[in-house]
Amino acid sequence: MIVGGAAEREDLLAAAVVEAVEGTGAYAGSVFLRSSDRRSIVLAATCGVPPSLLGGWRLIPVSSPIPVAAAFSSGRTVHLADAEETTRRYPQLAVALPYAFGSCSVPVGSGEETFGALAIVWAASPGGEGMSKAQRRHVRTIADRLGAALSGLRARTGDPVECDPQTTPVETPAPSAPAVRAGLFEWDLATGAVTVDDELCAIFGIDPSAFDGRAETLASFLRPGDRAALRAAARAAAAEGRIKAWRLRIRDRRDGSEGYRTVELWGRVLEDDSTRARTHLVGTVVDAQAGSAAVAAVERLRDGLFSLAPDGRVTYANHSALRLLGVHGNELLGQFLPDVLPWLSDPEVEYRHRSAMISQAPVSFLACRPPNRWLAFSLHPEADGITGRVVPVGDAPSSTTPSASSAETATDATPARLGVMYHVLQLGSALTEAVTAREVCEVISDQLLPAFGGQQLAIYVVRDATMHLLFHTGHHEDFLDWLEGVPLHARLPGTETLTSGTPLFIESQQDLSQGYPGIPAGDVRSWAYLPLIASSHPVGTCVLGFDEIHQFTERDRGVLTALAGLIAQALERARLYDSEFALARGLQQALLPHRLPVVPGIRTVARYLPGTSGMDIGGDWYDVIPTGDGVSLVIGDVEGHSIAAAATMAQLRSAVRAFAAVGHTPGDVMAGVNRTLIDLDPGLLASCCYIHLEPHGHHAYAVTAGHLPPLLRRPDATTDALELDIGPLLGVDRASAYPATRINLPPGSVLALYTDGLVEERGADIDVGIDRLRASLAHAPADTPDELADRLLHNARGSSYRADDIALLLTELAGHGAEVIPDHGVR
């Protein structure tokens, strides 16, 4: 259960999106919040349309040409009256979601800060005017109130206003008329007094203000023959402690005639030993007559009727529908149609469902139930779901008849199989965002398998003229194991498709055994082998596997063939990036200490985390330098991310060591390093903090060249940022002086030196980050400096995005009488 600020934030998001939808007559809405790296906005709450229908739009880069991202980035309202205006202004959105709808997106923020965006969607006909100016102002007001509330919540709790991409969005269903009504009551069986709510009065047809609170009055509204049954129910409750589904008939005058409808009485006595409890009945009267009558009427029809939830799950199917589809009710209810009926797994069905829900217009299509029975489907949407109708078609459609027809929609010109094209567009867009080979493989898996109905995917790459598995997903662990390590010239489908450059489509195990005798098929029934060739260079083979026999249409073959080139280019680019990234990181690690020296009386540990924004290496460094009269602790940061920054860092580290080794004072060391940087003339500046301490002297001398203040945690856990005399950055002025500050170090203290990557956050003052680190150092439970360092870096390690490198050097001074075992870890 979510508690505290997170729960309050969810309530704020849900209330805002519901108010926006209901206040404008829209059928769906959503709220996006910025991600922690500020590069994306993340779906945080929806009303009406479930997140599953939004597909790849749950995480949107802020630079995307999408209305909600444009509203977030620009701070302006983006109003699109209909599909025509959407196509004209945002063609990428129109191609990926080619449905007839209008939308309005507004920023959510407070003051000059933008937290996210609010968007609502309505069914739109061509030439519609969209929302009025008053409605747009209303939505903007709701978004402004939400932004102010989120800002206030952050001020109270300290939680940032951002959304983790892995967080499940808050879902609020679209409003719908209840099929069941329930009224609550409390009945004193001894006195006959009864207390009821307004809903129970409505079920009985009583004016709540005129009800006298007597059970006899309620009984007078029952069919005379049932009044004794009510008394029998009371006696049963007193004896057994409960009433379960006792049926009564209530006089019904709603249509002007005299009639009766059946309700159910449920209740139980209070659960304690008092006499009063045994005579007090609490419970409910349930009126499900409307729902029961509707079900009975639908079951009499010979047409198949079914109901889908907004996300596409089946919530009801009459007997005729089950008969036509060839399934049992317990197989279908709660499932997606394509998951239960493989012959409906064509992505076109997904497209039709999505079209109905987003455009709120009926759609229809044909499908063939094997072996040759054609069925006509029609989907009739409302915001709370879809009513579907299925009937048999007398004759098979001609070859010119499309397998789906949307004549009832505003998207007649939409080409068939646009469901597949949607995934293709998603794949192309997602591949531009993927950087590493692993990310590319995951994108391919996420897009290709659902687009073509596959269950297995493997990607083999060529290394040393042999095939090696790079990625696999699916429930068959041994899928294509026999391809591992085989030479490129072997006569196997995975190698021949690559050497010939021609995709290979195998639709059955029989076809496999005829073309390649002896190759194990396992539980896979069909395969698509796609050669990955980039710039005439063989990269590898992408293989899709299908658990059932899959017939590849000409369109499937064409699309997969085209995608193979796209995948090959992305994979080759990613593998090159991985290689260069590993080389750059290896060089950077080589420039840093591999092991810190052992110094009696202190324990030091260091951590280094590279940034994630690119492969350029940074200039952060740390060092521990034993000297004749103690030990020197150093941390520094050369500006920029480049080979030049790393080279300058290595030269400065060597200079610090050289000046310290000959016994210079801390101020002289820093001044000498400053002159060295100016003489090198790399065009770069650097910050540095240098602390010289005597392990048993309980004090130290510190100098800083524009670097962040060290943190000191004392034995009683009080922690402060040390106030040092700050000298100028290294490389500014050859004559710069660096005064030393004496600091006291009680036994058992912990000294923390760090670079700005650990405390800097875009849009926030760095002092806030320093204070947050100070609080973490003060309260982090840890038995060793190693554990303490890991706790301080926990959030940074878990983040998928780090704009800058992070260096951390912790030093613990031995307490009184404590024998400290050296532990000088570098990670």
Side-chain angles (χ1 to χ4, degrees), residues 173-201:
S176 60
V180 177
R181 295 194 301 171
L184 304 177
F185 66 86
E186 181 179 354
W187 185 2
D188 188 332
L189 302 177
T191 65
V194 61
T195 302
V196 300
D197 67 358
D198 290 349
E199 190 67 20
L200 190 141
C201 288

PDB file of all heavy atoms in Angstrom, residues 173-201:
ATOM      1  N   PRO A 173     -11.057   4.565 -14.350  1.00  0.00           N
ATOM      2  CA  PRO A 173     -11.925   4.166 -15.471  1.00  0.00           C
ATOM      3  C   PRO A 173     -12.894   5.266 -15.853  1.00  0.00           C
ATOM      4  O   PRO A 173     -13.197   6.160 -15.062  1.00  0.00           O
ATOM      5  CB  PRO A 173     -12.661   2.935 -14.918  1.00  0.00           C
ATOM      6  CG  PRO A 173     -12.631   3.111 -13.436  1.00  0.00           C
ATOM      7  CD  PRO A 173     -11.336   3.815 -13.120  1.00  0.00           C
ATOM      8  N   ALA A 174     -13.376   5.199 -17.075  1.00  0.00           N
ATOM      9  CA  ALA A 174     -14.377   6.161 -17.527  1.00  0.00           C
ATOM     10  C   ALA A 174     -15.681   5.928 -16.774  1.00  0.00           C
ATOM     11  O   ALA A 174     -16.014   4.797 -16.411  1.00  0.00           O
ATOM     12  CB  ALA A 174     -14.615   5.996 -19.022  1.00  0.00           C
ATOM     13  N   PRO A 175     -16.447   6.996 -16.485  1.00  0.00           N
ATOM     14  CA  PRO A 175     -17.722   6.824 -15.771  1.00  0.00           C
ATOM     15  C   PRO A 175     -18.713   6.033 -16.605  1.00  0.00           C
ATOM     16  O   PRO A 175     -18.754   6.142 -17.829  1.00  0.00           O
ATOM     17  CB  PRO A 175     -18.193   8.270 -15.561  1.00  0.00           C
ATOM     18  CG  PRO A 175     -17.500   9.052 -16.626  1.00  0.00           C
ATOM     19  CD  PRO A 175     -16.178   8.389 -16.841  1.00  0.00           C
ATOM     20  N   SER A 176     -19.502   5.212 -15.961  1.00  0.00           N
ATOM     21  CA  SER A 176     -20.525   4.425 -16.654  1.00  0.00           C
ATOM     22  C   SER A 176     -21.705   4.213 -15.718  1.00  0.00           C
ATOM     23  O   SER A 176     -21.575   4.306 -14.491  1.00  0.00           O
ATOM     24  CB  SER A 176     -19.962   3.067 -17.095  1.00  0.00           C
ATOM     25  OG  SER A 176     -19.519   2.309 -15.976  1.00  0.00           O
ATOM     26  N   ALA A 177     -22.862   3.942 -16.309  1.00  0.00           N
ATOM     27  CA  ALA A 177     -24.068   3.713 -15.513  1.00  0.00           C
ATOM     28  C   ALA A 177     -23.950   2.390 -14.766  1.00  0.00           C
ATOM     29  O   ALA A 177     -23.533   1.383 -15.344  1.00  0.00           O
ATOM     30  CB  ALA A 177     -25.293   3.699 -16.417  1.00  0.00           C
ATOM     31  N   PRO A 178     -24.294   2.353 -13.475  1.00  0.00           N
ATOM     32  CA  PRO A 178     -24.171   1.111 -12.722  1.00  0.00           C
ATOM     33  C   PRO A 178     -25.216   0.084 -13.146  1.00  0.00           C
ATOM     34  O   PRO A 178     -26.371   0.424 -13.391  1.00  0.00           O
ATOM     35  CB  PRO A 178     -24.395   1.556 -11.267  1.00  0.00           C
ATOM     36  CG  PRO A 178     -25.225   2.788 -11.381  1.00  0.00           C
ATOM     37  CD  PRO A 178     -24.795   3.460 -12.639  1.00  0.00           C
ATOM     38  N   ALA A 179     -24.792  -1.153 -13.289  1.00  0.00           N
ATOM     39  CA  ALA A 179     -25.738  -2.225 -13.596  1.00  0.00           C
ATOM     40  C   ALA A 179     -26.357  -2.795 -12.332  1.00  0.00           C
ATOM     41  O   ALA A 179     -27.378  -3.483 -12.387  1.00  0.00           O
ATOM     42  CB  ALA A 179     -25.026  -3.345 -14.365  1.00  0.00           C
ATOM     43  N   VAL A 180     -25.754  -2.513 -11.185  1.00  0.00           N
ATOM     44  CA  VAL A 180     -26.234  -3.029  -9.899  1.00  0.00           C
ATOM     45  C   VAL A 180     -26.316  -1.871  -8.921  1.00  0.00           C
ATOM     46  O   VAL A 180     -25.418  -1.019  -8.878  1.00  0.00           O
ATOM     47  CB  VAL A 180     -25.280  -4.121  -9.352  1.00  0.00           C
ATOM     48  CG1 VAL A 180     -25.758  -4.578  -7.983  1.00  0.00           C
ATOM     49  CG2 VAL A 180     -25.205  -5.296 -10.310  1.00  0.00           C
ATOM     50  N   ARG A 181     -27.405  -1.805  -8.154  1.00  0.00           N
ATOM     51  CA  ARG A 181     -27.534  -0.808  -7.093  1.00  0.00           C
ATOM     52  C   ARG A 181     -27.570  -1.529  -5.760  1.00  0.00           C
ATOM     53  O   ARG A 181     -28.101  -2.637  -5.644  1.00  0.00           O
ATOM     54  CB  ARG A 181     -28.811   0.019  -7.266  1.00  0.00           C
ATOM     55  CG  ARG A 181     -28.806   0.872  -8.521  1.00  0.00           C
ATOM     56  CD  ARG A 181     -29.915   1.915  -8.480  1.00  0.00           C
ATOM     57  NE  ARG A 181     -31.224   1.301  -8.354  1.00  0.00           N
ATOM     58  CZ  ARG A 181     -32.352   1.981  -8.130  1.00  0.00           C
ATOM     59  NH1 ARG A 181     -32.307   3.295  -7.961  1.00  0.00           N
ATOM     60  NH2 ARG A 181     -33.505   1.362  -8.058  1.00  0.00           N
ATOM     61  N   ALA A 182     -26.982  -0.911  -4.743  1.00  0.00           N
ATOM     62  CA  ALA A 182     -26.937  -1.512  -3.411  1.00  0.00           C
ATOM     63  C   ALA A 182     -27.248  -0.440  -2.376  1.00  0.00           C
ATOM     64  O   ALA A 182     -26.651   0.635  -2.386  1.00  0.00           O
ATOM     65  CB  ALA A 182     -25.580  -2.146  -3.139  1.00  0.00           C
ATOM     66  N   GLY A 183     -28.213  -0.725  -1.495  1.00  0.00           N
ATOM     67  CA  GLY A 183     -28.565   0.177  -0.410  1.00  0.00           C
ATOM     68  C   GLY A 183     -28.202  -0.432   0.936  1.00  0.00           C
ATOM     69  O   GLY A 183     -28.345  -1.640   1.145  1.00  0.00           O
ATOM     70  N   LEU A 184     -27.723   0.396   1.875  1.00  0.00           N
ATOM     71  CA  LEU A 184     -27.262  -0.082   3.171  1.00  0.00           C
ATOM     72  C   LEU A 184     -28.313   0.171   4.248  1.00  0.00           C
ATOM     73  O   LEU A 184     -29.075   1.143   4.183  1.00  0.00           O
ATOM     74  CB  LEU A 184     -25.958   0.612   3.550  1.00  0.00           C
ATOM     75  CG  LEU A 184     -24.815   0.494   2.540  1.00  0.00           C
ATOM     76  CD1 LEU A 184     -23.612   1.285   3.018  1.00  0.00           C
ATOM     77  CD2 LEU A 184     -24.458  -0.968   2.299  1.00  0.00           C
ATOM     78  N   PHE A 185     -28.346  -0.721   5.257  1.00  0.00           N
ATOM     79  CA  PHE A 185     -29.312  -0.554   6.340  1.00  0.00           C
ATOM     80  C   PHE A 185     -28.718  -1.074   7.647  1.00  0.00           C
ATOM     81  O   PHE A 185     -27.766  -1.866   7.652  1.00  0.00           O
ATOM     82  CB  PHE A 185     -30.615  -1.298   6.035  1.00  0.00           C
ATOM     83  CG  PHE A 185     -30.469  -2.805   5.992  1.00  0.00           C
ATOM     84  CD1 PHE A 185     -30.560  -3.571   7.159  1.00  0.00           C
ATOM     85  CD2 PHE A 185     -30.240  -3.461   4.785  1.00  0.00           C
ATOM     86  CE1 PHE A 185     -30.422  -4.950   7.116  1.00  0.00           C
ATOM     87  CE2 PHE A 185     -30.096  -4.839   4.735  1.00  0.00           C
ATOM     88  CZ  PHE A 185     -30.189  -5.588   5.899  1.00  0.00           C
ATOM     89  N   GLU A 186     -29.291  -0.629   8.758  1.00  0.00           N
ATOM     90  CA  GLU A 186     -29.047  -1.175  10.088  1.00  0.00           C
ATOM     91  C   GLU A 186     -30.420  -1.363  10.735  1.00  0.00           C
ATOM     92  O   GLU A 186     -31.208  -0.426  10.850  1.00  0.00           O
ATOM     93  CB  GLU A 186     -28.186  -0.250  10.939  1.00  0.00           C
ATOM     94  CG  GLU A 186     -27.908  -0.830  12.329  1.00  0.00           C
ATOM     95  CD  GLU A 186     -27.029   0.064  13.178  1.00  0.00           C
ATOM     96  OE1 GLU A 186     -26.541   1.071  12.641  1.00  0.00           O
ATOM     97  OE2 GLU A 186     -26.854  -0.242  14.385  1.00  0.00           O
ATOM     98  N   TRP A 187     -30.710  -2.597  11.199  1.00  0.00           N
ATOM     99  CA  TRP A 187     -32.061  -2.985  11.625  1.00  0.00           C
ATOM    100  C   TRP A 187     -31.987  -3.502  13.063  1.00  0.00           C
ATOM    101  O   TRP A 187     -31.269  -4.450  13.359  1.00  0.00           O
ATOM    102  CB  TRP A 187     -32.581  -4.048  10.676  1.00  0.00           C
ATOM    103  CG  TRP A 187     -34.000  -4.494  10.895  1.00  0.00           C
ATOM    104  CD1 TRP A 187     -34.896  -4.045  11.806  1.00  0.00           C
ATOM    105  CD2 TRP A 187     -34.641  -5.538  10.166  1.00  0.00           C
ATOM    106  NE1 TRP A 187     -36.077  -4.707  11.689  1.00  0.00           N
ATOM    107  CE2 TRP A 187     -35.957  -5.634  10.684  1.00  0.00           C
ATOM    108  CE3 TRP A 187     -34.270  -6.381   9.130  1.00  0.00           C
ATOM    109  CZ2 TRP A 187     -36.879  -6.574  10.195  1.00  0.00           C
ATOM    110  CZ3 TRP A 187     -35.186  -7.302   8.646  1.00  0.00           C
ATOM    111  CH2 TRP A 187     -36.481  -7.389   9.181  1.00  0.00           C
ATOM    112  N   ASP A 188     -32.731  -2.857  13.971  1.00  0.00           N
ATOM    113  CA  ASP A 188     -32.866  -3.338  15.345  1.00  0.00           C
ATOM    114  C   ASP A 188     -34.013  -4.332  15.363  1.00  0.00           C
ATOM    115  O   ASP A 188     -35.186  -3.955  15.312  1.00  0.00           O
ATOM    116  CB  ASP A 188     -33.136  -2.173  16.292  1.00  0.00           C
ATOM    117  CG  ASP A 188     -33.090  -2.584  17.755  1.00  0.00           C
ATOM    118  OD1 ASP A 188     -33.380  -3.766  18.044  1.00  0.00           O
ATOM    119  OD2 ASP A 188     -32.767  -1.738  18.601  1.00  0.00           O
ATOM    120  N   LEU A 189     -33.679  -5.623  15.426  1.00  0.00           N
ATOM    121  CA  LEU A 189     -34.715  -6.648  15.332  1.00  0.00           C
ATOM    122  C   LEU A 189     -35.641  -6.641  16.531  1.00  0.00           C
ATOM    123  O   LEU A 189     -36.797  -7.075  16.445  1.00  0.00           O
ATOM    124  CB  LEU A 189     -34.055  -8.025  15.198  1.00  0.00           C
ATOM    125  CG  LEU A 189     -33.105  -8.195  13.986  1.00  0.00           C
ATOM    126  CD1 LEU A 189     -32.473  -9.581  14.030  1.00  0.00           C
ATOM    127  CD2 LEU A 189     -33.856  -7.980  12.703  1.00  0.00           C
ATOM    128  N   ALA A 190     -35.192  -6.132  17.649  1.00  0.00           N
ATOM    129  CA  ALA A 190     -36.024  -6.121  18.860  1.00  0.00           C
ATOM    130  C   ALA A 190     -37.086  -5.037  18.802  1.00  0.00           C
ATOM    131  O   ALA A 190     -38.240  -5.248  19.177  1.00  0.00           O
ATOM    132  CB  ALA A 190     -35.132  -5.936  20.087  1.00  0.00           C
ATOM    133  N   THR A 191     -36.714  -3.859  18.298  1.00  0.00           N
ATOM    134  CA  THR A 191     -37.656  -2.732  18.293  1.00  0.00           C
ATOM    135  C   THR A 191     -38.288  -2.490  16.934  1.00  0.00           C
ATOM    136  O   THR A 191     -39.290  -1.765  16.829  1.00  0.00           O
ATOM    137  CB  THR A 191     -36.929  -1.445  18.717  1.00  0.00           C
ATOM    138  OG1 THR A 191     -35.949  -1.109  17.736  1.00  0.00           O
ATOM    139  CG2 THR A 191     -36.265  -1.642  20.077  1.00  0.00           C
ATOM    140  N   GLY A 192     -37.722  -3.069  15.883  1.00  0.00           N
ATOM    141  CA  GLY A 192     -38.246  -2.822  14.543  1.00  0.00           C
ATOM    142  C   GLY A 192     -37.744  -1.532  13.929  1.00  0.00           C
ATOM    143  O   GLY A 192     -38.134  -1.182  12.800  1.00  0.00           O
ATOM    144  N   ALA A 193     -36.872  -0.795  14.626  1.00  0.00           N
ATOM    145  CA  ALA A 193     -36.328   0.440  14.075  1.00  0.00           C
ATOM    146  C   ALA A 193     -35.261   0.096  13.023  1.00  0.00           C
ATOM    147  O   ALA A 193     -34.476  -0.838  13.207  1.00  0.00           O
ATOM    148  CB  ALA A 193     -35.716   1.297  15.168  1.00  0.00           C
ATOM    149  N   VAL A 194     -35.251   0.853  11.934  1.00  0.00           N
ATOM    150  CA  VAL A 194     -34.303   0.598  10.866  1.00  0.00           C
ATOM    151  C   VAL A 194     -33.753   1.931  10.348  1.00  0.00           C
ATOM    152  O   VAL A 194     -34.500   2.894  10.187  1.00  0.00           O
ATOM    153  CB  VAL A 194     -34.956  -0.212   9.716  1.00  0.00           C
ATOM    154  CG1 VAL A 194     -36.118   0.534   9.094  1.00  0.00           C
ATOM    155  CG2 VAL A 194     -33.928  -0.578   8.665  1.00  0.00           C
ATOM    156  N   THR A 195     -32.432   1.973  10.144  1.00  0.00           N
ATOM    157  CA  THR A 195     -31.766   3.143   9.574  1.00  0.00           C
ATOM    158  C   THR A 195     -31.282   2.771   8.178  1.00  0.00           C
ATOM    159  O   THR A 195     -30.631   1.729   8.007  1.00  0.00           O
ATOM    160  CB  THR A 195     -30.572   3.569  10.443  1.00  0.00           C
ATOM    161  OG1 THR A 195     -31.045   3.841  11.767  1.00  0.00           O
ATOM    162  CG2 THR A 195     -29.912   4.812   9.878  1.00  0.00           C
ATOM    163  N   VAL A 196     -31.585   3.591   7.174  1.00  0.00           N
ATOM    164  CA  VAL A 196     -31.247   3.265   5.792  1.00  0.00           C
ATOM    165  C   VAL A 196     -30.552   4.452   5.143  1.00  0.00           C
ATOM    166  O   VAL A 196     -30.653   5.591   5.617  1.00  0.00           O
ATOM    167  CB  VAL A 196     -32.520   2.897   4.981  1.00  0.00           C
ATOM    168  CG1 VAL A 196     -33.222   1.701   5.595  1.00  0.00           C
ATOM    169  CG2 VAL A 196     -33.457   4.086   4.875  1.00  0.00           C
ATOM    170  N   ASP A 197     -29.857   4.181   4.040  1.00  0.00           N
ATOM    171  CA  ASP A 197     -29.239   5.281   3.285  1.00  0.00           C
ATOM    172  C   ASP A 197     -30.140   5.676   2.118  1.00  0.00           C
ATOM    173  O   ASP A 197     -31.175   5.053   1.856  1.00  0.00           O
ATOM    174  CB  ASP A 197     -27.834   4.896   2.810  1.00  0.00           C
ATOM    175  CG  ASP A 197     -27.838   3.782   1.764  1.00  0.00           C
ATOM    176  OD1 ASP A 197     -28.923   3.262   1.426  1.00  0.00           O
ATOM    177  OD2 ASP A 197     -26.742   3.431   1.280  1.00  0.00           O
ATOM    178  N   ASP A 198     -29.755   6.723   1.418  1.00  0.00           N
ATOM    179  CA  ASP A 198     -30.584   7.247   0.329  1.00  0.00           C
ATOM    180  C   ASP A 198     -30.722   6.241  -0.808  1.00  0.00           C
ATOM    181  O   ASP A 198     -31.764   6.188  -1.474  1.00  0.00           O
ATOM    182  CB  ASP A 198     -29.972   8.545  -0.205  1.00  0.00           C
ATOM    183  CG  ASP A 198     -30.105   9.691   0.791  1.00  0.00           C
ATOM    184  OD1 ASP A 198     -30.839   9.529   1.784  1.00  0.00           O
ATOM    185  OD2 ASP A 198     -29.455  10.745   0.577  1.00  0.00           O
ATOM    186  N   GLU A 199     -29.703   5.443  -1.069  1.00  0.00           N
ATOM    187  CA  GLU A 199     -29.777   4.483  -2.164  1.00  0.00           C
ATOM    188  C   GLU A 199     -30.816   3.412  -1.892  1.00  0.00           C
ATOM    189  O   GLU A 199     -31.553   2.994  -2.784  1.00  0.00           O
ATOM    190  CB  GLU A 199     -28.401   3.843  -2.395  1.00  0.00           C
ATOM    191  CG  GLU A 199     -28.303   2.999  -3.654  1.00  0.00           C
ATOM    192  CD  GLU A 199     -28.419   3.812  -4.936  1.00  0.00           C
ATOM    193  OE1 GLU A 199     -28.192   5.034  -4.892  1.00  0.00           O
ATOM    194  OE2 GLU A 199     -28.748   3.213  -5.986  1.00  0.00           O
ATOM    195  N   LEU A 200     -30.912   2.967  -0.637  1.00  0.00           N
ATOM    196  CA  LEU A 200     -31.931   1.976  -0.305  1.00  0.00           C
ATOM    197  C   LEU A 200     -33.331   2.581  -0.451  1.00  0.00           C
ATOM    198  O   LEU A 200     -34.256   1.923  -0.946  1.00  0.00           O
ATOM    199  CB  LEU A 200     -31.708   1.436   1.115  1.00  0.00           C
ATOM    200  CG  LEU A 200     -32.580   0.216   1.473  1.00  0.00           C
ATOM    201  CD1 LEU A 200     -31.777  -0.791   2.291  1.00  0.00           C
ATOM    202  CD2 LEU A 200     -33.828   0.616   2.235  1.00  0.00           C
ATOM    203  N   CYS A 201     -33.484   3.845  -0.051  1.00  0.00           N
ATOM    204  CA  CYS A 201     -34.777   4.511  -0.250  1.00  0.00           C
ATOM    205  C   CYS A 201     -35.130   4.563  -1.724  1.00  0.00           C
ATOM    206  O   CYS A 201     -36.294   4.355  -2.119  1.00  0.00           O
ATOM    207  CB  CYS A 201     -34.733   5.923   0.329  1.00  0.00           C
ATOM    208  SG  CYS A 201     -34.730   5.976   2.140  1.00  0.00           S
TER     209      CYS A 201
END
